[in-house]
DNA sequence: CTGAAAGCGCTTACAG
DNA sequence: CTGAAAGCGCTTACAG
């Protein structure tokens, strides 16, 4: 097999301590010895093994990323942002996914022991109790979109309430008064928060909430399609529909199309998530953009701060700001500019897709 | 910090060897001792650290995945397939990406030393030479879409030639005789192979190749858009255009739309990759489907075969079969069925999107 | 400037 | 059935 540090030491006529010091550029060393050791290492193609080093230093230079799933662009963007930032700090990324139930998550948590210096956890199925019990003591952790209260952990969440609020406020500002929402499932936290943002915005505008305008959905394209029936059932009809995710907006638009209702002329439509397909729909979909890679990136940054400044790291909950991406489906602009080009503004809620925000608000 | 094996041994009044044997269910053990050790371990919340175990066993139970990039669904699907299969075999996945040049790849290769039991490499920038020199001797490796000849390594590639051939043959069968292609860049291997498949199919049908029908492109949406000019320049016009990836097909369809040319009535369009957007275009895009998660999954399977049967593992190059997904843009069917539902067949090239193929052809 | 030695947390022949 | 001991490949005080 490959050479180890002893082989190098022997061949260079020095101790392994010296080899280690020289190759790690730590401590003093005679210039001649340095040269010799380097030459020998090169010649034997010696590369230090993480096995020994990790055990010896009790560090792995790796961070773990626990995801509930690996389907779709949401998770791939999280991974991308996390990997990017991890690499910038010379850390590796251990990815783990598909933990559908509690016991699988617990198993995953334990597998991480000795493999990573810190852990980013994204899971709707975990509770503080389970974390406290199963997490190796002292392992730095950042919770992503976990909807966990309490301040024992660092946490970053998507500003669902703010995003939905922003979108509905935008529709209100453009004259809409009857705005329906297609909800997600009751037990889905994102869904509940988006509904809350919708209600808040209406209330602030002095508009009475109408239960008939809150249409059931489950974040699936099919449920968006079916929502059309409900949306058109009541008179007077809503003039705008806010689908609380893009998938439902896709189904909704298909349904409206089949019902012969023109978007945005007869019905304004907006989504949430700003997934790639929104851009390719006809008409292109107005949506709430979430900087998902930013979520992964911030998580790693926060995690490494814990790892590196363990003592005086200050734990906090923060929210990832969302931005509005206006396209044709809401009828508030006239033309969708070229892909990814800025959209002209006429108010502070009008933003470009390019301006990836890295702000986050600290929760009290 | 957390308890280690010594703490458990001490508390249970046995040696660490006994603790190890009992917790790993290896070797004999007195039932009473077993119970006691288990109880103590549970009580101390002892979870063995991979640090010690890895060094001791010289295994990491992890496989590395080296990717050139992390943007888009292609890579996320590779990761998903790989992670799924790795997990099925109780292995972990170490992901590494963004290695744009040779030296970064080499650094990445070395970082893997001692961290993984095997490596899946997907990189257009690597050559056999660099691999031979920088890979730890004896480390199992699988090359993915690397376009590397020679049989020193296990390799899996996408059947670009076959996929393009299939698609063009389909268009021919439906009466098209003037079929244009939008090519990718000359230095892109996928692009070259798809062009080859296109030419083969035409030649087999006895149709003379016409350089004017081979339009320049670079796999970008913009280049597909610009290709419209060339496609319409010559008389008689082609009746079908095969964009050698989906992005270009998207630009192409936008361009045709702006030129007032109806798809598929006046021009049949087909793509390659079967990315998600194809489904949402108007009309939906006919394309060549590549089972990308399957690529990741097969790579892990092959890799673990090497890891586990080092001695008599047989290295081979194989191709991942592609399938045709027919939608409205090629004009050969009349209606796009519900998402992901099977499409009725009228020949062996007509396939459903559900029938994810796991066949692969062994290269001689 | 350099080396001998201990240690990181485990596993595994080898004795008994 | 169980334990003492060596060892995996490194790093790091501690002497000198």
């Amino acid at each position: 097999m490959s050479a180890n540090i002893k082989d190098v030491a022997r061949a260079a006529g020095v101790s392994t301590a010296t080899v280690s010091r020289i190759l790690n550029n730590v401590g003093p060393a005679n210039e001649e010895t340095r040269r010799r050791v380097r030459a020998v290492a090169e010649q034997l193609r010696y590369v230090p093994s993480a096995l020994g080093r990790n055990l010896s230093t009790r560090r792995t230079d790796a961070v773990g990323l626990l995801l509930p799933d690996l389907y779709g662009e949401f998770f791939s963007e999280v991974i991308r942002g996390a990997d990017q930032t991890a690499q910038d700090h010379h850390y590796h990324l251990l990815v783990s996914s598909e933990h559908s139930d509690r016991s699988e998550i617990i198993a995953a948590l334990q597998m991480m022991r000795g493999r990573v210096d810190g852990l980013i956890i994204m899971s709707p199925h975990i509770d503080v109790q389970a974390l406290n019990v199963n997490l190796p003591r002292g392992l730095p952790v950042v919770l992503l979109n976990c909807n966990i209260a309490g301040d024992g952990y660092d946490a970053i969440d998507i500003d669902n309430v703010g995003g939905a609020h922003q979108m509905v406020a935008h529709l209100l500002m453009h004259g809409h008064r009857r705005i329906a929402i297609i909800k997600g499932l009751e037990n889905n936290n994102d869904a509940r928060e988006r509904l809350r943002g919708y209600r808040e915005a209406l209330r602030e505008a002095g508009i009475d909430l109408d239960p008939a305008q809150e249409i059931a959905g489950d974040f699936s394209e099919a449920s968006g399609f079916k929502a059309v029936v409900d949306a058109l059932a009541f008179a007077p009809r809503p003039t705008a529909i806010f689908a609380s995710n893009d998938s439902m907006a896709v189904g909704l638009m298909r349904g409206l199309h089949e019902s012969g209702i023109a978007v945005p002329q007869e019905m304004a439509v907006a989504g949430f998530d700003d997934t790639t397909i929104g851009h390719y729909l006809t008409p292109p979909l107005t949506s709430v953009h979430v900087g998902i890679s930013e979520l992964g990136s911030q998580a790693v940054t926060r995690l490494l701060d814990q790892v590196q400044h363990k003592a005086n790291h200050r734990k906090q909950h923060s929210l990832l700001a969302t931005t509005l991406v206006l396209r044709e489906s809401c009828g508030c602009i006239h033309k969708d500019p070229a892909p990814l080009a800025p959209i002209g503004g006429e108010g502070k809620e009008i933003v470009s897709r390019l301006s990836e925000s890295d702000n986050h608000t600290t929760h009290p």
Side-chain angles (χ1 to χ4, degrees), chain A:
Chain A
M1 301 300 266
S2 305
N4 64 20
I5 198 171
K6 275 191 200 162
D7 299 327
V8 177
R10 198 178 313 119
V14 296
S15 70
T16 59
T18 299
V19 174
S20 174
R21 276 190 296 257
I22 289 176
L23 262 27
N24 289 314
N25 286 312
V26 46
N30 178 293
E31 201 42 56
E32 157 58 13
T33 314
R34 202 184 289 275
R35 237 194 307 278
R36 189 152 34 93
V37 168
R38 288 244 168 77
V40 170
E42 172 112 354
Q43 201 221 314
L44 296 182
R45 286 201 193 122
Y46 170 66
V47 180
S49 165
L51 285 176
R53 164 184 271 267
N54 287 351
L55 179 57
S56 184
T57 60
R58 269 103 98 44
R59 292 173 37 227
T60 63
D61 297 316
V63 300
L65 182 55
L66 226 64
L67 299 170
D69 197 340
L70 237 37
Y71 276 96
E73 56 186 302
F74 187 93
F75 298 110
S76 72
E77 282 292 279
V78 173
I79 295 177
R80 192 170 64 78
D83 179 71
Q84 179 76 67
T85 304
Q87 231 169 108
D88 290 349
H89 295 266
H90 300 103
Y91 271 76
H92 302 271
L93 199 63
L94 199 59
V95 174
S96 181
S97 75
E98 311 275 340
H99 305 292
S100 36
D101 60 39
R102 240 183 82 111
S103 70
E104 282 188 89
I105 296 170
I106 291 175
L109 288 179
Q110 301 192 338
M111 300 254 54
M112 290 290 180
R113 196 149 167 14
R115 295 182 193 283
V116 300
D117 299 335
L119 202 47
I120 297 170
I121 300 178
M122 183 156 187
S123 165
H125 307 292
I126 198 75
D127 50 288
V128 181
Q129 180 66 9
L131 285 177
N132 289 337
V133 173
N134 294 290
L135 237 30
R137 303 253 29 99
L139 184 73
V141 166
V142 172
L143 266 25
L144 235 46
N145 229 23
C146 275
N147 181 32
I148 282 191
D151 41 71
Y153 294 95
D154 258 307
I156 309 180
D157 292 295
I158 291 171
D159 189 7
N160 285 305
V161 177
H165 187 288
Q166 240 183 128
M167 179 60 85
V168 174
H170 165 76
L171 294 170
L172 286 165
M173 175 187 293
H174 284 267
H176 292 282
R177 283 299 168 270
R178 293 190 308 283
I179 303 173
I181 182 175
I182 310 181
K183 302 182 288 187
L185 291 176
E186 190 59 48
N187 64 12
N188 180 303
N189 185 56
D190 293 326
R192 281 199 311 273
E193 294 187 348
R194 291 170 192 184
L195 178 61
R196 186 140 60 86
Y198 160 86
R199 287 175 176 168
E200 268 183 24
L202 289 184
R203 232 183 262 119
E204 285 177 16
I207 295 181
D208 288 338
L209 296 179
D210 176 1
Q213 305 277 30
E214 297 182 357
I215 304 166
D218 61 8
F219 277 6
S220 74
E221 193 177 322
S223 74
F225 183 85
K226 283 189 298 187
V228 175
V229 179
D230 290 326
L232 304 182
F234 291 88
R237 257 190 210 169
T239 61
I241 304 179
F242 169 46
S244 53
N245 80 346
D246 278 7
S247 289
M248 294 196 295
V250 168
L252 172 64
M253 282 178 51
R254 190 191 300 255
L256 289 171
H257 181 73
E258 293 191 5
S259 303
I261 296 182
V263 175
Q265 296 81 355
E266 302 174 71
M267 183 71 79
V269 169
F272 198 117
D273 285 341
D274 188 31
T275 49
T276 322
I277 43 166
H279 191 80
Y280 296 95
L281 292 177
T282 320
L285 181 67
T286 284
S287 190
V288 179
H289 178 79
V290 183
I292 308 192
S293 67
E294 188 63 22
L295 195 66
S297 167
Q298 283 186 20
V300 171
T301 302
R302 197 85 77 75
L303 189 66
L304 293 182
D305 186 69
Q306 270 189 66
V307 171
Q308 284 154 9
H309 309 105
K310 218 140 191 166
N312 43 13
H313 170 84
R314 202 165 62 82
K315 297 208 172 92
Q316 57 177 358
H317 279 215
S318 62
L319 290 178
L320 183 73
T322 59
T323 50
L324 245 41
V325 178
L326 303 184
R327 300 202 187 88
E328 294 177 37
S329 74
C330 67
C332 306
I333 55 169
H334 291 307
K335 205 166 123 30
D336 188 22
L340 296 183
I343 296 172
E346 57 175 287
K348 75 172 176 184
E349 83 278 10
I350 315 270
V351 299
S352 132
R353 183 157 175 192
L354 279 178
S355 71
E356 187 105 305
S357 163
D358 57 1
N359 295 327
H360 57 274
T361 317
T362 299
H363 240 17

